[in-house]
Amino acid sequence: MNRIKVLVTGGAGFIGGNFVQYMVNKYPQYDIYNLDVLTYAGDLTKHRFIEKMNNYHFVKADIADRDTIIPLFEKENFDYVIHFAAESHVDRSITDPGIFVRTNVVGTQVLLDAAKLIGVSKFVHVSTDEVYGELDIDPTTFFTEETPLQPNSPYSASKASSDLLVRAYHETFGLPINITRCSNNYGPYHFPEKLIPLTISRVLNNQNIPIYGSGNNIRDWLHVFDHCAAIDLVLHEGVDGEVYNVGGHNERTNLEVVKTIIHALGKSEDLIEFVPDRLGHDQRYAIDPSKLKDLGWTPTYTFETGITQTIQWYLDHKEWWTQLLNGNHQNNDAKQYNTQLSWEL
Ligand code: NAD
């Protein structure tokens, strides 16, 4: 019997990287292909423990490069596509929106064409709750799958655009798809430009921690391992054509998150530095995950257990994040990107 071939795009990044490791270990009977172009956010050293496993394969390629992607699909005849590859940082989308349109919109369309051409069994598009726009601080309101798309940043607009293309390929061509929309993730191998790893690294280096505005913007935090399990479930059990929200009801203000990390590391709140607010900064995200729970998913981490474990992981892997901060990982363009560090998803 032929082995199942699973293509994971963006598997050198934060969530895709954790997902590749999860799949390689959980499904020895599947061949897992990690396709990544290795931007500043891609890093292969995280896969040193799986790279020799027989069911792991790496392909360096750009999802927007049609002349590479189409022949690759024709050659490998993938069964499943799990699409993570993206430009993912809101601040960068404010300074350079063009690359977000190219990667997140054009790249997704190239993958959809390739998936349609060979007739994959499932295309899972990994999206974000940010496509819904923002909620006010009323704690009883949540994003459901029926909430209208109202993206506010170039990043979320590019993700919403890709969601609509995925939906259209299902409606028009019958491509078997699911879309997942997850809240903010944290956990191992999170690139140290995002709020939690940046705060940990700066506290450990006794550097100020910049916080936008008053720090009262609310995010709904989910451990990346719970996100991986959710995508696995949607891949195998998701109803064709459906969207699933992913979140664990762990709402915290940015200030609460930063203070939690400072206290856990025994440092002073004097490290906090309030800076002018981000343009178009969304007030609050909060997910209603009922539909995914009905499918059988339950998160295993509370924010308290997850953040404690994550802080310990960063203490144990200082060499990894220091090399990324210094632009010393394998990607040639990392130095250029890392000169403009910012601090929130
Ligand atoms: P990331 O920035 O850590 O990783 C993105 C990966 O995509 C990198 O390895 C990068 O090299 C690769 N990539 C970028 N452009 C590419 C291209 N043209 N061709 C091939 N590979 C390319 O991102 P992440 O935080 O792991 O997010 C992964 C996905 O999950 C994204 O689609 C994002 O929108 C979504 N998401 C993220 C979060 C979060 O909290 N980080 C929450 C919900 C959804």
Side-chain angles (χ1 to χ4, degrees):
M1 211 178 86
N2 284 343
R3 288 164 63 82
I4 298 224
K5 289 189 174 184
V6 182
L7 179 71
V8 179
T9 71
F14 165 45
I15 308 174
N18 278 285
F19 186 74
V20 162
Q21 295 183 10
Y22 170 101
M23 293 294 282
V24 164
N25 285 300
K26 180 166 178 188
Y27 296 107
Q29 72 276 30
Y30 290 2
D31 276 314
I32 310 297
Y33 291 76
N34 168 13
L35 184 150
D36 201 298
V37 78
L38 301 179
T39 68
Y40 77 98
D43 157 62
L44 288 178
T45 63
K46 60 168 69 81
H47 293 321
R48 63 196 175 285
F49 299 119
I50 60 164
E51 66 190 3
K52 299 226 159 40
M53 290 171 73
N54 290 336
N55 65 336
Y56 172 73
H57 314 271
F58 175 68
V59 183
K60 184 171 182 198
D62 178 350
I63 56 167
D65 177 2
R66 183 173 290 271
D67 293 342
T68 302
I69 296 298
I70 299 284
L72 177 74
F73 272 63
E74 287 175 324
K75 174 169 175 273
E76 299 295 348
N77 209 19
F78 300 115
D79 296 284
Y80 301 140
V81 177
I82 328 293
H83 176 33
F84 293 90
E87 289 293 335
S88 69
H89 192 33
V90 174
D91 285 341
R92 293 181 193 276
S93 81
I94 293 168
T95 52
D96 183 12
I99 184 71
F100 285 71
V101 174
R102 181 186 182 277
T103 298
N104 300 358
V105 184
V106 177
T108 300
Q109 194 235 333
V110 170
L111 290 172
L112 287 166
D113 278 343
K116 168 169 125 357
L117 184 71
I118 65 164
V120 301
S121 302
K122 177 70 73 79
F123 187 107
V124 179
H125 178 61
V126 181
S127 190
T128 164
D129 61 355
E130 299 191 33
V131 298
Y132 296 123
E134 66 176 344
L135 296 165
D136 62 28
I137 55 172
D138 172 5
T140 62
T141 56
F142 299 96
F143 295 135
T144 73
E145 290 80 1
E146 309 307 319
T147 303
L149 303 190
Q150 286 187 313
N152 290 322
S153 71
Y155 162 67
S156 53
S158 68
K159 291 296 294 187
S161 306
S162 62
D163 287 20
L164 294 179
L165 278 171
V166 174
R167 181 182 181 280
Y169 273 63
H170 174 70
E171 295 295 327
T172 306
F173 305 115
L175 188 72
I177 64 105
N178 286 119
I179 297 172
T180 59
R181 296 190 179 129
C182 191
S183 58
N184 286 42
N185 282 213
Y186 67 100
Y189 297 116
H190 204 176
F191 193 85
E193 67 182 346
K194 307 281 173 75
L195 180 69
I196 288 180
L198 182 76
T199 301
I200 298 171
S201 67
R202 292 185 83 96
V203 172
L204 290 175
N205 289 330
N206 284 313
Q207 293 169 316
N208 280 0
I209 303 147
I211 296 194
Y212 280 134
S214 60
N216 287 329
N217 301 70
I218 295 170
R219 299 295 178 259
D220 184 358
W221 292 96
L222 187 76
H223 195 283
V224 66
F225 294 171
D226 283 328
H227 190 186
C228 291
I231 294 169
D232 178 17
L233 180 68
V234 169
L235 171 67
H236 291 99
E237 306 290 339
V239 176
D240 186 19
E242 292 296 312
V243 176
Y244 294 93
N245 284 350
V246 191
H249 287 302
N250 287 301
E251 291 179 44
R252 298 286 185 286
T253 66
N254 290 342
L255 195 55
E256 285 171 334
V257 169
V258 168
K259 284 185 178 177
T260 299
I261 295 169
I262 289 175
H263 296 159
L265 290 169
K267 295 290 177 71
S268 162
E269 290 182 13
D270 292 345
L271 288 175
I272 294 172
E273 178 189 2
F274 292 97
V275 300
D277 209 353
R278 167 195 275 169
L279 294 175
H281 202 178
D282 287 339
Q283 176 58 50
R284 174 172 168 259
Y285 307 137
I287 282 278
D288 174 355
S290 312
K291 187 171 168 183
L292 188 64
K293 288 196 160 184
D294 289 346
L295 202 64
W297 177 81
T298 314
T300 55
Y301 288 86
T302 62
F303 187 71
E304 285 68 31
T305 55
I307 195 70
T308 304
Q309 193 192 78
T310 300
I311 291 169
Q312 188 58 48
W313 189 91
Y314 279 85
L315 284 167
D316 295 341
H317 294 79
K318 192 168 180 194
E319 201 180 324
W320 178 80
W321 53 263
T322 303
Q323 66 160 356
L324 261 64
L325 279 175
N326 293 335
N328 287 337
H329 60 323
Q330 80 282 8
N331 310 316
N332 297 333
D333 52 359
K335 271 211 164 69
Q336 170 204 332
Y337 278 102
N338 283 338
T339 52
Q340 29 163 305
L341 268 187
S342 46
W343 45 86
E344 204 190 320
L345 184 79

